[in-house]
Amino acid sequence: QSSLTNSDIIFVKLHAPWEVLGKYAELMNVRMPFRRKIYYLHRRYKLMNRIEKQISRFRGWLPRKPMKLDKETLPDLEENDCYTAPFSQQRIHHFIIHNKDTFFNNATRSRIVHHILQRVKYEEGKNKIGLNRLLSNGSYEAAFPLHEGSYRSKNSIKTHGAENHRHLLYECWASWGVWYKYQPLDLVRRYFGEKIGLYFAWLGWYTGMLFPAAFIGLFVFLYGVTTLNHCQVSKEVCQATDIIMCPICDKYCPFMRLSDSCIYAKVTHLFDNGATVFFAVFMAVWATVFLEFWKRRRAVIAYDWDLIDWEEEEEEIRPQFEAKYSKKERMNPISGKPEPYQAFADKCSRLIVSASGIFFMICVVIAAVFGIVIYRVVTVSTFAAFKWALIRNNSQVATTGTAVCINFCIIMLLNVLYEKVALFLTNLEQPRTESEWENSFTLKMFLFQFVNLNSSTFYIAFFLGRFTGHPGAYLRLINRWRLEECHPSGCLIDLCMQMGIIMVLKQTWNNFMELGYPLIQNWWTRRKLRQEYGTQGKTSFPQWEKDYNLQPMNAYGLFDEYLEMILQFGFTTIFVAAFPLAPLLALLNNIIEIRLDAYKFVTQWRRPLASRAKDIGIWYGILEGIGILSVITNAFVIAVTSDFIPRLVYAYKYGPCAGQGEAGQKCMVGYVNASLSVFLVSDFENRSEPTSNGSEFSGSPLKYCRYRDYRDPPHSPVPYGYTLQFWHVLAARLAFIIVFEHLVFCIKHLISYLIPDLPKDLRDRMRREKYLIQEMMYEAELERLQKERKERKKNGKSYHNEWP
C-alpha cells in the first residue's frame, strides 16, 4: 500500500495466520500456558501462614501502599499464573486457548514473523537469505512491528479502561504522574519483549538499591554539617590570621592569610569527616550486595518469564563476515553445514591492530588531560592578576570551575570521535556473529568513555599537588610551567567540584539527548504534516504511517541506555569517599530516567522487535570490575587525597593526646600548625618571586611564609628535608591502603559466598513445578484416553490400543 505522504514509499503489511503461528511456535519451542498454578504450602509453614494472615488483617487498617499499581487497571496477565510448556500442535488440547486470535500475544507473533523472515530465501544464490540482507542492501528502508493504536484517549482510563496495551503503558508507566509507583514489568515484557523488560527490571532494581546508599551519603553530609562548629581543624584555619601562606603560582599570586581559606576548610569538612571511612566501606559492600541480590532478582524474573531453560538459537553469520571469508570454508560442528572460516593468523593480526588503536585513543585522552593541566597552570596566574576582585581573590576556584567545564566539552566532543573509532575497529576485527560484534563494540565504547570521563578525575584525586616540589625548588612542565598546587585547605574540594559539575552536566545532557532530540524531530515531522494535510489529516493516517513517522530505535539497541547507567554506577562508587552526595544525585536522576526511557519507548520510538534474553549480558562483568576498582580507588582517596591519615597520625603520635589512645577533637589542637612547613622568602627563585613583598600584612616585608608539607625549616642542617612526621604519615597511608583493601575484599567475598544466586523458595518452586507438570501431562493424557474409550463404547466399537 502506498504512503499517503510520499508515493515513493510502499508499505508491505504482513499477517501470520493461526496455522503458521502454531507451526513455528512449535519449531521455536515457544512456551505457552496450559494449566493454572497450584500454590503449595508445606505443613511446617502453617504457623507462618497464620502469622501472615494476622499481619495482613492489621495492614487492612493501614493506608493503602501508594507505590503499588492499581490492579483494576492492569489486564489479567494470565501466563504468570499458569504453568507453561513448549507449544505442541499434537497436544494442543492441553493448552488454555480461549481465543486463537489472542493466544499468542503481539510480541510473540512479531518474534515468530521475524524468525520466518530471517530464513526466507528471496533470490537464487548462495547467501540470498534473510530480511537483514535486504535492509542492508537498501531493498527495504525499514522493518518494524506496529504499535497497538494510539497512546492517548479522550476517555479516562479509570472509567472506560485502557483502549490498548500502549495506552495502558502510557497511563501507568510512562506518565509523569506515576513517577513514584512500581513499574508494570510483566506488561512491559508482554509489549516490548524480555530483553527490554530485563533492562527496566535492572534499572528499577538499581534505583531501589540506591535508596539506602543515598540515605547514608546524606547522613554523612549532614553529620559534617552538624559537627562543623566543633571541628578543631576548621576552627584553627579560620582563626589563623597570623599565618601567611606562600603564593600558589609564580609572580602574580600574592601572599595570603590562611584564614582567607576558612570557607573552603568548612566545605571540605562536610565531605571529609569521621564518617567518610565508614561510608567508603559501606559503598564497597553495597556494590557487592547490589550485584548479588540482582542475581537473585534476575533468577526470579527468569522463572516468572520462562527464561530458565531458554537457550539462544545458533546465530546467523554476519553478512560482512560471509562476504570477507566466503572463499575459505569449514564444517560447523553444531549444524554440520559448511560456513566461512577466518584463519587464526588473520584473526590475531586484526586483534593486534585493534588493540593498538585502543591504546592510541587512550593516549589521546591522556593528551587531552595534559592539555587541561597546562590550562590550569597557566590560568591560575591569569586569574590572580584579574581586574575583578571576586575572581582575583578566588583564582584557584575559578580555575578549577572553568577547567571542569572545558573538560566536559572535550569529553562530549571526544565521545563522538570514540564512537566512530570503536565502530571502525570493531568492523576491522570482523566478528563472526552479531552477539560477538555487540560484545566487542560494547567493551571498546565502555573503555573509551570510562577513561575519557574519569581520567581528569584521577588526575585531581591522585596527582594534583603531589609532585610540585616545594618553594624555591618547584617542579615544572617542560622547565617552564610550575605544577599546580592544592588549595591551602586540601585537594578534596577540587575533587568534589570536578565530580559534582561533571555528574550534573553529564546527566542533564544525556536526558536532553535521549528525550529532547526525538521530541524535536517528531515535532518537526508533525509540523510538516500539518502544513500539508491540515490538523485533521494526521488523525486519519493509518497506524503504519504514524509509526513510520516516529524515530527508529537506536541502531545499537539498548547500548546507550546501559552505558549511561554503568558510567553513572562508576561515578557513584569509584570516588564516593570524596563526594558522598553522588548516590543521592544518581537516585534523583534515575527516578527521572525511568520515566524518560518509558516515555521514549512508548511515544517517541517505533516499536522495537521483541527479543529474548536471560540476563544483562556483558554489562554484569563490567559492573563487577567497577566494584573491584572502587575498593582500590576509595582506599587511595581516603589515604592520599583526604587528610584523614595525617590527622590520625597527629592525634595518636604528635598531638596533646599522644600515647593516650584517644583521638577526639581536643587531640587535634595544633594540627594545622604542625602540618605546615616554614619557607624563607629570600630563597625564592627569580621566576617564582612574587611581585608583592607581603608588607600589607605587618607593615614590613615578610621574611617567612608557610606551605603544606612536612619539611625541615630553612636553618636546619638539611634545609627543606623531609621530617620524621612525613615518613610516619607515608607509612600509615600505605598500611591503611593494604588493611582497607584486604578487609573490604574479605567482606565482599564473604557476602558473595553467603548469598546464594538462587533463592531457596524459588528452587523449591522450580522442583515442585517440574514434578507437577509431569503429573498434569499424565493426567491430561489419561483424561483424553478415557474420553476416547467412552466415545467408542457409545458407538459400539472397541479397540485394544497400547499405552501411547
Side-chain angles (χ1 to χ4, degrees):
Q1 184 173 337
S2 297
S3 170
L4 298 178
T5 58
N6 188 348
S7 58
D8 294 334
I9 298 175
I10 306 296
F11 290 99
V12 179
K13 297 175 289 183
L14 299 178
H15 169 72
W18 167 259
E19 292 75 16
V20 174
L21 292 174
K23 175 184 175 182
Y24 281 93
E26 186 172 355
L27 290 174
M28 296 168 63
N29 288 322
V30 176
R31 299 182 70 89
M32 300 303 295
F34 74 94
R35 188 68 63 89
R36 288 194 174 276
K37 288 184 179 179
I38 302 172
Y39 293 99
Y40 175 76
L41 187 66
H42 199 274
R43 287 182 181 178
R44 60 179 178 173
Y45 296 139
K46 281 189 175 181
L47 178 62
M48 294 299 296
N49 191 30
R50 291 174 186 172
I51 295 173
E52 287 179 1
K53 284 183 178 179
Q54 296 297 327
I55 293 173
S56 62
R57 284 182 184 177
F58 174 72
R59 284 178 179 172
W61 296 94
L62 298 176
R64 182 184 168 194
K65 288 185 178 179
M67 291 184 293
K68 283 193 173 182
L69 291 164
D70 186 5
K71 292 184 178 179
E72 295 179 0
T73 61
L74 289 173
D76 180 22
L77 301 178
E78 190 177 65
E79 59 264 32
N80 289 342
D81 295 324
C82 297
Y83 293 115
T84 61
F87 183 76
S88 171
Q89 289 184 315
Q90 292 182 345
R91 296 183 176 181
I92 195 170
H93 53 278
H94 292 175
F95 295 90
I96 304 173
I97 305 177
H98 300 304
N99 186 346
K100 288 186 177 182
D101 293 335
T102 59
F103 179 64
F104 296 105
N105 60 46
N106 284 348
T108 304
R109 297 166 74 99
S110 298
R111 195 164 68 246
I112 291 173
V113 170
H114 185 262
H115 176 87
I116 297 171
L117 294 177
Q118 286 294 84
R119 286 156 180 80
V120 168
K121 197 166 187 176
Y122 59 85
E123 191 177 307
E124 290 298 326
K126 186 177 181 181
N127 299 319
K128 307 294 186 179
I129 299 174
L131 176 64
N132 284 347
R133 286 183 173 84
L134 291 172
L135 290 171
S136 60
N137 63 24
S139 299
Y140 285 92
E141 186 174 336
F144 52 89
L146 297 178
H147 278 294
E148 298 179 9
S150 175
Y151 63 89
R152 292 185 183 275
S153 174
K154 297 179 181 179
N155 302 319
S156 171
I157 192 173
K158 293 181 179 179
T159 57
H160 292 75
E163 294 189 357
N164 51 64
H165 284 167
R166 188 187 186 194
H167 178 216
L168 182 61
L169 278 172
Y170 177 77
E171 293 290 341
C172 69
W173 183 49
S175 176
W176 292 106
V178 294
W179 65 268
Y180 58 92
K181 290 186 178 292
Y182 295 130
Q183 299 183 85
L185 293 177
D186 290 326
L187 189 59
V188 175
R189 172 240 181 171
R190 170 183 274 191
Y191 194 81
F192 291 110
E194 286 79 2
K195 193 170 186 178
I196 293 175
L198 266 174
Y199 163 71
F200 282 102
W202 176 84
L203 180 57
W205 183 257
Y206 171 43
T207 303
M209 289 292 290
L210 277 172
F211 274 97
F215 176 77
I216 300 296
L218 184 61
F219 169 79
V220 171
F221 179 77
L222 294 178
Y223 174 80
V225 173
T226 55
T227 59
L228 184 59
N229 294 329
H230 306 286
C231 178
Q232 181 63 31
V233 176
S234 59
K235 280 183 182 179
E236 291 186 2
V237 171
C238 294
Q239 296 170 2
T241 56
D242 56 337
I243 296 179
I244 309 302
M245 302 297 294
C246 298
I248 58 175
C249 68
D250 292 338
K251 296 289 184 183
Y252 300 106
C253 289
F255 294 99
M256 60 179 292
R257 286 189 175 93
L258 180 59
S259 58
D260 293 343
S261 60
C262 173
I263 188 160
Y264 302 116
K266 290 182 177 181
V267 172
T268 300
H269 177 74
L270 299 180
F271 302 101
D272 184 14
N273 52 63
T276 303
V277 178
F278 159 75
F279 185 58
V281 175
F282 170 81
M283 285 304 295
V285 174
W286 173 87
T288 302
V289 171
F290 162 64
L291 293 176
E292 291 300 319
F293 275 94
W294 162 247
K295 285 194 285 189
R296 293 166 63 87
R297 173 64 176 157
R298 187 207 64 81
V300 173
I301 292 174
Y303 170 77
D304 290 338
W305 292 356
D306 287 322
L307 298 172
I308 294 290
D309 299 323
W310 178 76
E311 295 293 337
E312 292 189 27
E313 300 175 358
E314 176 67 14
E315 285 192 86
E316 291 185 351
I317 298 174
R318 296 177 66 243
Q320 295 88 340
F321 182 90
E322 227 165 22
K324 180 72 176 177
Y325 300 103
S326 58
K327 295 181 180 178
K328 189 173 184 180
E329 293 183 342
R330 72 170 183 179
M331 296 296 292
N332 186 309
I334 298 174
S335 63
K337 298 178 181 179
E339 66 177 20
Y341 169 68
Q342 183 182 15
F344 180 75
D346 181 74
K347 188 173 184 177
C348 286
S349 62
R350 290 177 178 276
L351 288 175
I352 290 172
V353 173
S354 179
S356 303
I358 294 172
F359 178 74
F360 173 76
M361 293 309 299
I362 292 176
C363 291
V364 172
V365 175
I366 296 172
V369 174
F370 186 74
I372 294 293
V373 171
I374 294 177
Y375 168 83
R376 295 172 68 107
V377 169
V378 173
T379 309
V380 71
S381 300
T382 306
F383 282 152
F386 215 72
K387 294 180 181 180
W388 295 348
L390 179 64
I391 295 179
R392 186 172 63 250
N393 296 334
N394 299 279
S395 58
Q396 199 162 15
V397 176
T399 300
T400 301
T402 55
V404 171
C405 293
I406 292 173
N407 184 37
F408 175 75
C409 295
I410 293 174
I411 286 171
M412 302 312 296
L413 289 174
L414 288 179
N415 281 346
V416 178
L417 174 64
Y418 292 152
E419 183 176 343
K420 299 183 182 301
V421 172
L423 193 62
F424 172 76
L425 292 178
T426 306
N427 290 331
L428 182 68
E429 291 176 9
Q430 290 291 349
R432 178 177 170 272
T433 62
E434 287 295 335
S435 63
E436 291 178 7
W437 187 95
E438 185 178 333
N439 288 340
S440 178
F441 179 75
T442 297
L443 200 58
K444 289 181 182 62
M445 279 297 292
F446 169 76
L447 188 61
F448 286 157
Q449 295 214 19
F450 180 81
V451 174
N452 188 29
L453 189 65
N454 293 287
S455 54
S456 56
T457 312
F458 270 89
Y459 163 74
I460 292 174
F462 306 127
F463 297 98
L464 178 63
R466 310 292 166 204
F467 310 101
T468 58
H470 62 86
Y474 287 117
L475 297 178
R476 298 179 179 274
L477 287 173
I478 324 175
N479 199 29
R480 180 178 179 182
W481 293 300
R482 170 182 159 184
L483 289 173
E484 187 183 4
E485 291 186 47
C486 290
H487 197 272
S489 298
C491 290
L492 203 67
I493 188 68
D494 296 284
L495 185 57
C496 289
M497 286 183 63
Q498 173 81 12
M499 290 191 63
I501 294 175
I502 290 292
M503 196 168 185
V504 171
L505 290 179
K506 187 79 166 61
Q507 291 180 347
T508 304
W509 176 258
N510 285 339
N511 289 337
F512 170 75
M513 291 303 294
E514 281 189 11
L515 184 62
Y517 186 65
L519 273 174
I520 293 171
Q521 286 186 313
N522 289 334
W523 170 82
W524 183 254
T525 303
R526 290 194 301 269
R527 183 175 178 272
K528 290 195 296 184
L529 291 175
R530 280 197 300 267
Q531 289 177 349
E532 294 181 13
Y533 299 95
T535 56
Q536 300 297 325
K538 189 176 183 298
T539 58
S540 61
F541 287 162
Q543 188 62 45
W544 51 87
E545 192 94 19
K546 295 177 182 178
D547 286 5
Y548 177 73
N549 291 325
L550 295 177
Q551 297 302 307
M553 187 179 175
N554 193 304
Y556 310 130
L558 293 167
F559 170 79
D560 286 338
E561 279 71 23
Y562 273 118
L563 180 64
E564 178 188 354
M565 289 295 104
I566 300 299
L567 291 175
Q568 184 208 80
F569 178 80
F571 239 66
T572 305
T573 54
I574 291 177
F575 293 104
V576 74
F579 193 56
L581 294 179
L584 179 62
L585 293 179
L587 173 63
L588 296 176
N589 175 79
N590 285 8
I591 292 173
I592 300 172
E593 180 74 22
I594 290 175
R595 305 304 161 182
L596 277 180
D597 284 348
Y599 184 83
K600 178 176 61 180
F601 272 94
V602 174
T603 68
Q604 302 301 310
W605 278 0
R606 296 173 188 164
R607 187 176 182 178
L609 178 70
S611 56
R612 309 198 89 192
K614 293 180 70 172
D615 50 34
I616 61 175
I618 194 175
W619 297 109
Y620 185 84
I622 293 174
L623 286 170
E624 285 187 323
I626 291 175
I628 294 171
L629 180 62
S630 68
V631 177
I632 301 170
T633 53
N634 282 304
F636 275 89
V637 166
I638 296 171
V640 178
T641 311
S642 76
D643 288 337
F644 175 77
I645 298 300
R647 292 175 187 174
L648 212 60
V649 170
Y650 178 81
Y652 284 104
K653 184 68 178 175
Y654 296 96
C657 306
Q660 299 179 16
E662 297 181 15
Q665 290 298 326
K666 63 179 182 179
C667 301
M668 298 304 298
V669 176
Y671 167 76
V672 172
N673 187 61
S675 64
L676 298 175
S677 300
V678 180
F679 178 72
L680 186 63
V681 173
S682 59
D683 290 343
F684 266 124
E685 302 170 291
N686 290 332
R687 53 182 171 177
S688 297
E689 190 173 356
T691 53
S692 64
N693 57 9
S695 57
E696 63 271 17
F697 297 106
S698 59
S700 60
L702 284 176
K703 291 183 179 180
Y704 300 98
C705 64
R706 309 292 292 273
Y707 61 99
R708 280 173 57 93
D709 210 341
Y710 297 101
R711 292 183 181 270
D712 291 321
H715 302 298
S716 62
V718 183
Y720 308 118
Y722 287 119
T723 62
L724 183 62
Q725 189 175 355
F726 169 83
W727 299 110
H728 283 160
V729 170
L730 180 62
R733 281 173 166 164
L734 294 176
F736 175 84
I737 290 171
I738 294 171
V739 171
F740 181 89
E741 287 182 358
H742 282 71
L743 175 65
V744 174
F745 278 131
C746 286
I747 295 174
K748 285 170 69 72
H749 284 99
L750 180 63
I751 291 173
S752 299
Y753 175 76
L754 292 177
I755 300 177
D757 295 347
L758 205 63
K760 186 180 183 303
D761 61 334
L762 177 60
R763 190 183 297 112
D764 294 341
R765 285 164 60 193
M766 290 169 60
R767 289 175 179 172
R768 178 158 181 79
E769 179 174 337
K770 187 176 181 181
Y771 167 77
L772 290 175
I773 286 175
Q774 292 176 349
E775 292 293 321
M776 290 174 186
M777 285 290 189
Y778 293 145
E779 288 176 6
E781 196 67 26
L782 184 60
E783 288 177 6
R784 185 181 66 84
L785 291 173
Q786 288 174 348
K787 287 181 180 179
E788 288 181 359
R789 179 175 293 180
K790 288 179 180 179
E791 290 177 359
R792 287 168 185 159
K793 284 182 178 179
K794 287 180 180 179
N795 298 330
K797 297 180 181 179
S798 61
Y799 298 99
H800 299 285
N801 292 330
E802 294 183 359
W803 183 266

